[in-house]
Amino acid sequence: MSEENKDLGEELNDMIGDAKESAKRAGEKISQKTTEFAEDAKEKASEFASEAKETAKEFSDGAREAYQNATGDNKKILAGILGIIFGGLGVHKFVLGYSKEGGIMLGLTLIGIVLSCIGIGVFVVWIMGIIGFIEGIIYLTKSDEDFYNTYQAGKKPWF
């Protein structure tokens, strides 16, 4: 019986060795699968992050464009009406951010008012009024996109 016990002991040791070997291989496979899963998760997270950044940039650009169009509309109408009503004073130029040009129109109009007693000043005031009136009409007849591209983005100060 002792020989049978030895055989059983050897078989048991062989089975334990096989089990250890199988457990080791299973552990390696699990480790490999875990590593692959982690790399796949990192890649997907990176893709998600880049798509989120792109979407956020598109949203930001769209919001910026909407804001510019909205403010461009208001400036167009306001500048056009002020150009028609107070054209000689250059108020419409100040609204669009053209301080130098608005100052020139205001200064010439004030000089014209002072010189109106001579007679030539009336023509200066009249010319400044006509220029403002024409610019107001031009502002109101342009499309929103043309107005924005010409006077706000392009910075074209006259006509």
Side-chain angles (χ1 to χ4, degrees), residues 13-93:
N13 283 337
D14 287 344
M15 288 171 63
I16 290 174
D18 289 344
K20 284 182 181 178
E21 190 64 34
S22 294
K24 185 178 178 182
R25 277 187 261 139
E28 289 173 356
K29 280 188 177 182
I30 290 173
S31 175
Q32 181 183 6
K33 291 291 183 182
T34 304
T35 303
E36 289 175 4
F37 178 75
E39 288 175 1
D40 190 39
K42 278 184 184 178
E43 184 178 320
K44 295 225 187 267
S46 175
E47 288 175 10
F48 177 78
S50 65
E51 287 176 10
K53 284 180 185 176
E54 185 177 322
T55 302
K57 184 179 181 325
E58 289 173 2
F59 177 78
S60 174
D61 291 345
R64 186 177 301 117
E65 183 178 330
Y67 173 76
Q68 289 173 345
N69 287 341
T71 57
D73 247 356
N74 294 340
K75 285 186 178 182
K76 171 187 161 185
I77 294 169
L78 181 63
I81 291 172
L82 289 174
I84 291 171
I85 297 173
F86 302 111
L89 299 175
V91 177
H92 60 289
K93 296 289 188 185

